[in-house]
Amino acid sequence: MHKLLRNLVRRLPLQFRVLYNQFLLRVIDLESLSIQADVPRFLGQFAGVLIMFSLAQALGLLIHPPMSPESMQSLLDSVLQRMIATTMLITGLIAVVSWDNIFPDRRDVMVLFPLPVRPRTVLFAKLAAAGAVAGLGVLVLNFPVSLAVALLIGGFARSLFVFLAYWFTLAGSAALLLASVLTVQGFTALLLPRRAFIRLSAVLQLAAFALLIAVYFLEPSLLTPAAFQAPANRLLLASSPQFWFFALFHQLIGQLPPGCAWLAGRAWAGLGIVLAGALASLLLCYLRTMRKTVEEPDLLPAARGSHWTLPFGSRLQTAILQFSVRSLLRSRQHRVALAFYLGIGAALTLLILKQDGPLIAVPHPLLPGFLFATFTMMTFAVVGLRSVYALPISLTANWVLRTTQLAPPELYIAATRRSLLLFAALPVWLASALYGLTYRPLYQVAEHLVILALLAVILADLNLIGFYKVPFTCSYLPGKSNVQVRFWAFVIVFVPLATLGAMEELRAFPHLLQTAALIAFLAAAAACLRVFNRRRFQPAVLYFEELPEEILTTLHLVTIPPPISVPSPRP
Amino acid sequence: MLELVRVSKHFSGIPAVDDVTFSARPGQVTGYLGPNGSGKSTTMKMITGLIELTFGQISFQGKLIQEDLIAYKRRMGYVPEEPYLYNHLSGAEYLTMVAQLRNLPVRASSERIDGLLRLLSLHDDRHASISGYSKGMRQKVLIAAALMHNPELILLDEPFSGLDVASALVLRSLIQELAARGKVVLFSSHELDTVERICSRVVILHRGKLVADDTIEHLRSLMGLPTLEGIFSQLAVERDTDSTARQIADLIHA
């Protein structure tokens, strides 16, 4: 098999193979990774999270208490729908994260354009690299579940057939999502002037991201044949590719109810349309995009317009906070990373708030959902911004911060703390206050807002332990921090703690003394943490990561004789 | 006065700068020359405090720079070899950020930034992103950032890189003017004509070692060569350059 694959690969054109290898390495933005990063381990950790998710689903299918055939079918359908939705989410996230990579950047163009390489070779190599990464994600995510589904549905006789049907369905759903994103990008690039495309592309990327997260967390499962037939669900079924591919799987294994054939038809049609659309639009726009990339700079804000310089405290604080907010607003990579955290936080918040009842029915009685949701959103916002601060904007430009470091490090860290509170905590707090107006009694909402503010302060200080850096000046250290540990820490530690906190808070609200004690406890915790951090900040040294010095710069074309030394007269 | 005494820098045991001693005086422009890879930029980075010395010491106005690096940075302006800037900021935003980090007074710094941008012909593009700037425009931003706080020590590493003729002429006069006003100017460049015109003394480095430290006049008479180019070629350039060129032409022709 390995030999066959190697022979197949060798038959591909050399230019394609060389470019594919180059682009595959760059699906991850190496500029944002630390020189000490352990990239394979980092990817392994992500794969580990996906495998754990898949294993949990597979074990849930294989090990369960005795149940009726209907219940078993319902369990199978629920897992299948979840796996299709998760596969589409993972593929979508990969497509969104590698959004810019499908088009050659200026460096690619400057290197490749003068060479005898056809634009379509570059395009196919880029597509293959993006597809390979997405394919790897899909494979890791689905392998355990595919075995379990094949065994449970096909038995020993038809297991291979069901296994293949499962993989065709999942690969199709992933291809649909990837090709949809590419089609949108391709047509946008084709129809809009380059400058407008760059601006709209940034918005589209965030919109695609928000859509993916929202659909994943908010879309319901339909688990009974009656639900598929119900007229009330027709719009949902018609507009959701998750159900199209669910129907396609059943069509492939020959178990599709007659009334659902139209859904499978949508899967086939959708796949055909977006694959053709992506290929056609990208082929048409690629050469033009390459030319335009050379002709025009990527970023050129208008020479006129508002050029605000909002003061944020001292000169140093203003410099750090303005630098932070400008980096966040103007760097696509950082916006997407922050959107990742905010998107998940917002989706979870909406999901939790939905449990409390219809969002539009006001006023609500104060329920744990509101408290838990605001805790969750605050945590995601502060932790998310702090994580984004660890992605550098330009390591090579750090020298200016080093040569102008005239204030003690604690002032720089204090500015970072202020930026966390202003840009992460304050918007969430204000949104919570605004939405809190729909709850009653209002005095309890006010009490919760005090608690939320204290939680924000605690979170900001917790996130600054050991962070002796200016935002955006140091690399993320993938592989050095354990993604799996963080993920499970969130599930196992944060969720129960936040739930418990919300319950305790709700219990304390009717009693003034208990509420006061809770607030006093949190205020004391915040003060202790602040004192602890300030003591650690005083002797700290700001850390700036630099690229390694380039030593080799001479060409040594000839053997050089030893230099003649002229004795220099001393002054 | 800026003084380097037996300064060395090793990278993984390889000496990039080896036992270099020289000084740069106020009122003089000191040229710092050497072929690619000779250790010029490494020395510049050591003088700015960006990288640490392996051996030796650097002092400014009689005080070791490491004793009070912050006070030293207040008095130093640096134009690096490569125009590495935060590309997502505009020219005006970048200079404002540097002024804020240097804690310059608001009004004075904004007037100075505005004036520098006008004099360096960047005013019309001051709100455009640096990512759209040409190499020369980036170089001008670096020069403005290095000078806006009126430093006593000015370190210029290839400051003419990418500048057009008019801007280069302005910069050439500016360097001389700053030296005449008592600044210590250390100027590294490959443009030997410019160095010859504006520098009163030169320090020549070859393979990390100091091979000359003298006034240009004295070097000329000592070596019996009429130009700085001749002196430089004698001290730091492979002598068989014509032969190398011929070999390259032969190689690609074959």
Side-chain angles (χ1 to χ4, degrees):
Chain A
M1 184 70 179
H2 182 244
K3 224 174 189 178
L4 180 74
L5 269 176
R6 213 167 48 185
N7 282 336
L8 273 174
V9 169
R10 275 189 187 160
R11 281 173 187 274
L12 293 168
L14 179 64
Q15 282 185 343
F16 172 84
R17 277 186 281 148
V18 171
L19 291 176
Y20 167 76
N21 285 333
Q22 285 302 316
F23 296 151
L24 192 62
L25 290 173
R26 281 176 26 205
V27 171
I28 293 174
D29 188 354
L30 294 176
E31 174 77 3
S32 66
L33 302 186
S34 167
I35 47 172
Q36 298 155 25
D38 188 347
V39 179
R41 192 172 154 205
F42 174 62
L43 295 178
Q45 287 172 354
F46 261 116
V49 172
L50 296 182
I51 289 173
M52 286 292 279
F53 178 82
S54 187
L55 268 176
Q57 303 296 321
L59 288 175
L61 279 176
L62 295 172
I63 305 165
H64 52 77
M67 56 176 70
S68 65
E70 290 78 22
S71 302
M72 187 61 215
Q73 188 58 47
S74 178
L75 179 66
L76 258 171
D77 288 350
S78 133
V79 169
L80 266 172
Q81 286 178 22
R82 196 173 308 131
M83 291 314 292
I84 293 170
T86 310
T87 300
M88 293 176 94
L89 175 74
I90 296 297
T91 315
L93 290 182
I94 290 170
V96 169
V97 168
S98 58
W99 187 268
D100 284 331
N101 286 341
I102 202 62
F103 291 109
D105 59 17
R106 197 191 303 271
R107 180 178 46 178
D108 289 330
V109 176
M110 298 308 285
V111 172
L112 298 175
F113 211 71
L115 299 175
V117 180
R118 288 177 195 280
R120 66 164 183 261
T121 311
V122 181
L123 170 63
F124 289 140
K126 288 260 182 194
L127 286 176
V133 172
L136 199 65
V138 173
L139 184 75
V140 165
L141 177 66
N142 284 286
F143 195 70
V145 176
S146 65
L147 292 175
V149 168
L151 276 175
L152 284 171
I153 295 181
F156 282 107
R158 292 182 70 228
S159 59
L160 182 63
F161 178 68
V162 175
F163 182 78
L164 291 176
Y166 180 91
W167 277 106
F168 184 86
T169 306
L170 271 293
S173 66
L176 179 99
L177 211 81
L178 195 60
S180 301
V181 171
L182 294 176
T183 306
V184 171
Q185 279 183 285
F187 277 110
T188 318
L190 192 64
L191 299 174
L192 293 179
R194 169 87 178 147
R195 190 80 58 81
F197 163 69
I198 288 171
R199 286 175 192 277
L200 186 65
S201 176
V203 178
L204 282 176
Q205 186 183 23
L206 284 184
F209 189 87
L211 186 71
L212 284 167
I213 299 276
V215 167
Y216 182 76
F217 281 99
L218 301 178
E219 194 170 55
S221 292
L222 299 179
L223 302 176
T224 59
F228 274 82
Q229 307 291 344
N233 290 331
R234 198 167 170 84
L235 184 65
L236 173 69
L237 290 166
S239 58
S240 171
Q242 173 192 329
F243 298 113
W244 305 349
F245 283 92
F246 178 72
L248 178 67
F249 173 73
H250 285 284
Q251 188 184 51
L252 289 173
I253 60 170
Q255 293 179 2
L256 183 69
C260 292
W262 66 281
L263 280 175
R266 281 197 171 227
W268 288 111
L271 203 51
I273 289 168
V274 293
L275 283 175
L279 207 60
S281 61
L282 289 174
L283 276 173
L284 286 172
C285 76
Y286 220 63
L287 183 61
R288 175 172 170 260
T289 308
M290 284 175 84
R291 287 219 174 99
K292 291 286 177 190
T293 306
V294 184
E295 288 167 12
E296 290 178 34
D298 278 348
L299 273 166
L300 260 186
R304 288 182 176 78
S306 63
H307 303 288
W308 51 272
T309 46
L310 199 61
F312 289 109
S314 69
R315 297 281 279 159
L316 174 68
Q317 284 172 332
T318 302
I320 300 295
L321 269 75
Q322 280 180 350
F323 176 65
S324 304
V325 77
R326 283 173 178 147
S327 301
L328 274 176
L329 291 176
R330 295 177 191 171
S331 161
R332 177 180 293 193
Q333 181 197 24
H334 292 87
R335 279 201 306 268
V336 170
L338 185 61
F340 176 78
Y341 286 93
L342 294 183
I344 294 176
L348 283 174
T349 301
L350 282 175
L351 202 66
I352 297 160
L353 288 175
K354 266 179 67 180
Q355 311 295 320
D356 279 359
L359 297 176
I360 48 167
V362 288
H364 307 270
L366 201 58
L367 292 169
F370 173 66
L371 311 181
F372 184 50
T374 48
F375 287 157
T376 306
M377 197 61 222
M378 183 63 81
T379 306
F380 270 89
V382 176
V383 173
L385 189 59
R386 159 66 181 79
S387 303
V388 172
Y389 279 175
L391 294 172
I393 191 98
S394 172
L395 286 179
T396 50
N398 280 348
W399 66 270
V400 71
L401 291 168
R402 294 182 63 194
T403 54
T404 56
Q405 195 203 322
L406 308 176
E410 59 195 276
L411 295 186
Y412 283 81
I413 303 166
T416 307
R417 179 177 183 271
R418 182 170 290 200
S419 73
L420 279 178
L421 291 173
L422 269 180
F423 303 144
L426 186 63
V428 174
W429 190 88
L430 287 174
S432 305
L434 208 62
Y435 188 65
L437 293 175
T438 64
Y439 286 91
R440 294 293 183 274
L442 282 176
Y443 78 91
Q444 290 188 357
V445 174
E447 285 168 359
H448 173 65
L449 289 174
V450 173
I451 288 170
L452 192 64
L454 287 169
L455 181 80
V457 173
I458 290 171
L459 277 170
D461 277 317
L462 273 176
N463 274 283
L464 286 174
I465 293 176
F467 188 79
Y468 307 135
K469 301 164 187 173
V470 174
F472 307 109
T473 58
C474 289
S475 298
Y476 176 45
L477 284 166
K480 303 286 175 186
S481 60
N482 201 323
V483 175
Q484 288 187 68
V485 169
R486 285 184 176 200
F487 177 78
W488 292 113
F490 172 77
V491 174
I492 296 165
V493 180
F494 173 78
V495 174
L497 263 182
T499 315
L500 193 71
M503 300 300 289
E504 281 303 313
E505 195 187 340
L506 202 64
R507 201 172 303 152
F509 275 153
H511 314 286
L512 192 63
L513 266 179
Q514 280 185 30
T515 309
L518 187 62
I519 290 172
F521 170 74
L522 286 173
C528 287
L529 203 55
R530 182 94 185 100
V531 171
F532 171 77
N533 266 354
R534 288 184 88 155
R535 283 201 179 153
R536 283 171 62 106
F537 293 161
Q538 276 163 6
V541 176
L542 276 188
Y543 177 71
F544 291 98
E545 186 166 336
E546 297 286 334
L547 294 174
E549 286 293 323
E550 289 175 20
I551 306 165
L552 199 66
T553 43
T554 58
L555 293 174
H556 294 301
L557 294 170
V558 290
T559 310
I560 311 167
I564 301 166
S565 290
V566 176
S568 62
R570 292 278 145 232
Chain B
M1 185 161 73
L2 174 75
E3 283 182 291
L4 280 77
V5 181
R6 308 205 66 177
V7 168
S8 296
K9 179 67 188 177
H10 294 188
F11 292 109
S12 314
I14 303 166
V17 175
D18 195 5
D19 203 19
V20 166
T21 300
F22 72 88
S23 56
R25 297 175 184 78
Q28 284 188 345
V29 181
T30 305
Y32 196 49
L33 312 178
N36 289 338
S38 59
K40 295 190 305 295
S41 293
T42 305
T43 314
M44 284 289 195
K45 284 180 185 167
M46 285 192 285
I47 298 172
T48 56
L50 280 171
I51 55 176
E52 289 186 0
L53 288 67
T54 309
F55 304 109
Q57 54 190 41
I58 300 173
S59 56
F60 183 61
Q61 310 295 42
K63 284 180 80 175
L64 290 179
I65 62 167
Q66 293 299 337
E67 272 180 15
D68 189 352
L69 197 56
I70 286 180
Y72 170 69
K73 283 178 184 174
R74 283 203 183 97
R75 302 157 82 184
M76 182 259 294
Y78 170 53
V79 176
E81 184 185 17
E82 294 288 337
Y84 291 129
L85 296 159
Y86 288 114
N87 287 335
H88 63 298
L89 302 180
S90 69
E93 285 169 355
Y94 183 85
L95 293 176
T96 306
M97 185 183 83
V98 173
Q100 287 167 338
L101 290 169
R102 287 194 171 278
N103 201 20
L104 303 181
V106 181
R107 187 180 291 268
S109 64
S110 63
E111 280 171 8
R112 207 170 278 184
I113 289 168
D114 205 56
L116 282 166
L117 288 168
R118 277 182 205 284
L119 290 167
L120 291 168
S121 312
L122 283 174
H123 200 260
D124 289 347
D125 301 304
R126 66 192 186 283
H127 295 311
S129 165
I130 290 174
S131 63
Y133 281 16
S134 68
K135 195 177 178 193
M137 291 164 82
R138 287 162 182 254
Q139 199 67 22
K140 289 177 188 176
V141 173
L142 288 175
I143 292 164
L147 298 180
M148 72 160 79
H149 58 292
N150 190 24
E152 292 169 48
L153 169 64
I154 300 166
L155 304 166
L156 305 167
D157 197 351
E158 299 288 353
F160 291 94
S161 178
L163 291 185
D164 56 41
V165 177
S167 305
L169 288 173
V170 169
L171 182 61
R172 189 194 290 178
S173 302
L174 176 64
I175 292 170
Q176 286 173 312
E177 181 66 31
L178 291 169
R181 293 188 185 198
K183 313 281 184 199
V184 179
V185 184
L186 185 63
F187 167 53
S188 164
S189 177
H190 289 298
E191 292 177 34
L192 297 178
D193 277 355
T194 310
V195 174
E196 196 157 15
R197 276 169 200 265
I198 65 173
C199 294
S200 26
R201 74 186 286 123
V202 288
V203 174
I204 301 178
L205 214 62
H206 184 54
R207 293 186 158 196
K209 286 183 183 292
L210 192 85
V211 291
D213 173 11
D214 210 333
T215 61
I216 298 176
E217 280 306 314
H218 192 245
L219 282 173
R220 276 188 198 133
S221 62
L222 193 71
M223 299 182 70
L225 292 163
T227 61
L228 181 61
E229 189 179 301
I231 297 166
F232 187 77
S233 300
Q234 186 80 28
L235 293 174
V237 178
E238 300 86 291
R239 277 171 291 184
D240 209 359
T241 47
D242 290 343
S243 163
T244 309
R246 258 197 314 279
Q247 284 175 37
I248 293 170
D250 289 346
L251 185 72
I252 60 171
H253 200 71

